[in-house]
Amino acid sequence: MEELMTIDRAEVRGFVVVHVRGEVDALTVDRLGDAVTTALGGGRPVVIDLTDVRFLDSAGLATLVRVTQESEDRGEPLRIAVDENRPVVRPIEITGLEGVLALYDSVDDATAAPA
């Protein structure tokens, strides 16, 4: 059976990068939220890498908004790498969330700017 979503963590230029692959939907979104919340608790800026996500639904969008708010409340920077990945970018654009989420074209771009 194929796993719907996998999550890996790495450190890049002092950022914790949470790399997500697969589908972010109602079945997997709790794992994403938990992984990001744990990363935010480490006191370092966090990047969510969605460049290998092939599906993002409303539950995933709601989680991205929630963890963004959580990062702001904690005063910990959170950036989201999306590149031109249409399954991710299109729902963000349709809902107008590009003005709410800190979006970057790549993990390199997200980690290049000072936190």
Side-chain angles (χ1 to χ4, degrees):
M1 182 173 132
E2 181 183 352
E3 197 168 358
L4 293 177
M5 180 179 73
T6 60
I7 299 174
D8 299 309
R9 277 178 57 156
E11 184 172 329
V12 177
R13 297 184 189 128
F15 286 74
V16 175
V17 177
V18 178
H19 184 190
V20 184
R21 291 178 191 88
E23 300 177 10
V24 180
D25 59 21
L27 295 175
T28 61
V29 75
D30 288 342
R31 288 180 43 224
L32 173 62
D34 291 346
V36 175
T37 297
T38 299
L40 286 170
R44 290 180 291 164
V46 174
V47 175
I48 305 172
D49 180 2
L50 300 180
T51 58
D52 288 325
V53 168
R54 63 180 181 263
F55 180 77
L56 176 68
D57 74 359
S58 60
L61 291 170
T63 297
L64 293 176
V65 171
R66 180 182 61 77
V67 296
T68 294
Q69 183 61 55
E70 184 178 334
S71 75
E72 290 171 4
D73 291 348
R74 291 177 180 222
E76 297 181 23
L78 175 69
R79 299 171 179 179
I80 303 170
V82 293
D83 73 12
E84 70 279 351
N85 187 351
R86 285 195 54 79
V88 173
V89 173
R90 187 77 176 129
I92 290 171
E93 290 174 344
I94 288 172
T95 56
L97 290 175
E98 69 272 15
V100 174
L101 305 173
L103 302 177
Y104 291 79
D105 292 330
S106 67
V107 170
D108 283 342
D109 286 349
T111 59

